[in-house]
Amino acid sequence: PRAPSPEPSILPLPAPSATPSIAPSGAPSTIPSPAPSVFPSIPPSPEPTIRPTADMYERQFYMTAGTQGQGSAVMRYKVRSNDIYGESTADEGHEIPVDTVSAMGLHVRPDAGVMYFADQESRIFETDLAGRNVTTLFEYSGSPSGIDYDSDTKKLYWADYEQDTIYRGDVNGANQVALITGIEDVFDVKIHSGHRFFFSSPKLNAIYVADLDGGNAELFIRGVSSTRGIAVHANSGRIFWADHTEVYSANFTTGKDRTPIASGFGSLLFIDLDKVTDKLYVADYQDNAIYSMELDGSDVRRVLNVTSPRAVCVYTNVTKH
């Protein structure tokens, strides 16, 4: 991989939040964690809210999990059912065999049959959806965290909280470029409608927005406690983010109409949207769980039990049977 660009743009730092910040790793020092190789489990499902149809739904969860310094894993879990929210009829848990020190953010590309994920210890990986054909795309001195893929430019974007930098690179591992520097502890990054991207800083308690080349970067939203994972829903025009123990949403064009939609979690890290069901999923590191909810924060359900989850990516296939 090529060295980062020597001339990235630099943003002025806003005043740090008066609210005590939480380290981006989110690793609570007082909570013992069992071995991350234990497969996730599914709690009993509440009654389905939609009648069964002639379709077969297969929802696939991809997760990073584990405690820093104690090992980590990338996991896949499949749930097949006759109802889009119904109970599972065939479940499959699978730990993806990748040697990671501290797996963090990940992005799944069903169109290409691959996923990309960050190892907090200086690497960006690509692997197929079964965990085979593992390729190290980028390896450098840093701590990559959140990662996203721009389908228009075929570029990867990732946040590095040690280097305080947003990077971009090709999917073949070439052309690593630093786009944004000088924002402390950047944590997550999400492409917005193919034109701009959002990125978060838990330490500065803020979400920023910039052009895809890193230009015109500016403060977009000031958080409440510790802004972390981000998700963007184009159809509703909303941006969602995890703020320590709460989930918020706002207008993704103006940043206004900020609304707390769910609260009472332990310690949220990354979040994701299932575009088929229009549900939001959050990874609660402290409560050892993946939760789902509607876009307005209603109908919160604990859908997976998994040890110390960090990131979750979800997509649903619909097939006739």
Side-chain angles (χ1 to χ4, degrees):
R2 297 184 182 178
S5 167
E7 299 180 354
S9 60
I10 300 178
L11 288 178
L13 290 176
S17 169
T19 306
S21 62
I22 295 177
S25 67
S29 58
T30 59
I31 297 179
S33 175
S37 61
V38 176
F39 291 132
S41 62
I42 297 182
S45 173
E47 288 298 317
T49 57
I50 297 179
R51 291 182 180 180
T53 69
D55 295 329
M56 172 62 75
Y57 297 91
E58 180 182 81
R59 189 169 299 108
Q60 297 194 23
F61 295 83
Y62 290 85
M63 297 163 286
T64 59
T67 302
Q68 188 171 7
Q70 298 181 23
S72 66
V74 181
M75 295 178 176
R76 181 185 69 192
Y77 209 92
K78 292 183 180 181
V79 177
R80 299 182 183 90
S81 66
N82 292 326
D83 186 281
I84 199 166
Y85 301 120
E87 294 184 358
S88 168
T89 58
D91 305 330
E92 177 191 349
H94 175 63
E95 183 173 324
I96 292 173
V98 179
D99 179 22
T100 63
V101 177
S102 187
M104 288 291 284
L106 75 163
H107 178 84
V108 175
R109 282 186 63 194
D111 63 308
V114 300
M115 68 174 167
Y116 311 106
F117 63 95
D119 185 340
Q120 213 168 2
E121 300 295 326
S122 76
R123 295 176 294 180
I124 302 292
F125 289 106
E126 176 191 280
T127 178
D128 64 26
L129 299 186
R132 297 182 297 266
N133 302 314
V134 180
T135 302
T136 301
L137 297 179
F138 300 95
E139 186 168 8
Y140 64 101
S141 177
S143 294
S145 181
I147 188 168
D148 201 9
Y149 168 74
D150 179 19
S151 59
D152 291 335
T153 63
K154 307 296 190 294
K155 300 280 188 180
L156 290 171
Y157 288 73
W158 68 93
D160 189 309
Y161 71 85
E162 180 181 303
Q163 298 292 336
D164 300 331
T165 298
I166 302 295
Y167 288 104
R168 182 182 68 191
D170 296 340
V171 294
N172 63 359
N175 298 319
Q176 180 179 347
V177 178
L179 299 179
I180 303 286
T181 64
I183 300 296
E184 289 185 272
D185 291 352
V186 287
F187 184 76
D188 198 12
V189 58
K190 281 293 182 296
I191 305 299
H192 168 30
S193 303
H195 303 294
R196 308 193 80 188
F197 63 86
F198 295 108
F199 60 100
S200 63
S201 167
K203 184 173 184 178
L204 300 177
N205 189 28
I207 294 175
Y208 300 84
V209 65
D211 294 339
L212 290 181
D213 63 359
N216 298 311
E218 59 185 350
L219 177 66
F220 185 70
I221 289 173
R222 177 70 67 186
V224 175
S225 174
S226 177
T227 55
R228 296 174 178 178
I230 302 170
V232 179
H233 190 257
N235 291 340
S236 66
R238 306 291 290 179
I239 179 175
F240 299 84
W241 69 95
D243 199 313
H244 186 23
T245 63
E246 299 178 296
V247 180
Y248 285 81
S249 78
N251 183 290
F252 72 20
T253 302
T254 65
K256 296 180 179 179
D257 187 26
R258 186 174 74 177
T259 305
I261 64 170
S263 62
F265 300 100
S267 181
L268 300 179
L269 296 182
F270 293 97
I271 66 178
D272 192 41
L273 281 161
D274 182 355
K275 295 178 174 59
V276 173
T277 63
D278 276 341
K279 279 187 173 287
L280 183 67
Y281 289 82
V282 300
D284 191 327
Y285 185 93
Q286 183 169 311
D287 285 353
N288 299 316
I290 303 296
Y291 292 94
S292 71
M293 67 189 73
E294 301 293 339
L295 297 186
D296 62 0
S298 63
D299 193 24
V300 176
R301 303 188 186 196
R302 185 179 183 120
V303 294
L304 281 174
N305 296 316
V306 58
T307 302
S308 304
R310 297 178 173 190
V312 57
C313 281
V314 184
Y315 74 94
T316 300
N317 290 333
V318 182
T319 58
K320 296 293 183 180
H321 71 99

